[in-house]
Amino acid sequence: MSGRDDSKAALLRQLRRVLELDRREAAGEAQPAGLRVLATWQARRLAATYADFRARERYRKAVAFFLEDLYGPGDFSQ
């Protein structure tokens, strides 16, 4: 499997995990630790994917917003 295929497989595994976590949350069985792990993975993936934008002054604040406020590992349940 190529690196690209490995990345796709990892993304599909994580998406399946999200669906399962959503199902558990809806059933009142949320696992906050699992959600934090997923959010951390997603933020790292986005940071790597958009490192070129993050390096440019024009986009730095927007990238920070996505990484910290939308996809960061913090608890946003409130």
Side-chain angles (χ1 to χ4, degrees):
M1 212 183 273
S2 73
R4 186 176 178 112
D5 289 338
D6 290 342
S7 294
K8 286 181 185 178
L11 180 58
L12 288 172
R13 280 193 305 276
Q14 295 301 329
L15 289 171
R16 286 186 194 104
R17 288 183 67 202
V18 168
L19 291 173
E20 177 61 16
L21 290 168
D22 285 346
R23 184 199 65 76
R24 287 182 181 184
E25 184 176 18
E29 307 168 9
Q31 295 181 344
L35 292 174
R36 282 191 293 278
V37 168
L38 177 61
T40 299
W41 174 84
Q42 188 171 26
R44 286 182 183 157
R45 182 180 62 83
L46 288 171
T49 301
Y50 296 104
D52 55 335
F53 282 101
R54 194 177 196 181
R56 296 177 64 186
E57 182 64 34
R58 178 177 183 179
Y59 301 110
R60 192 168 295 136
K61 287 182 182 180
V63 172
F65 171 74
F66 276 90
L67 294 178
E68 297 165 15
D69 296 332
L70 292 181
Y71 297 106
D75 180 4
F76 300 106
S77 60
Q78 296 298 325

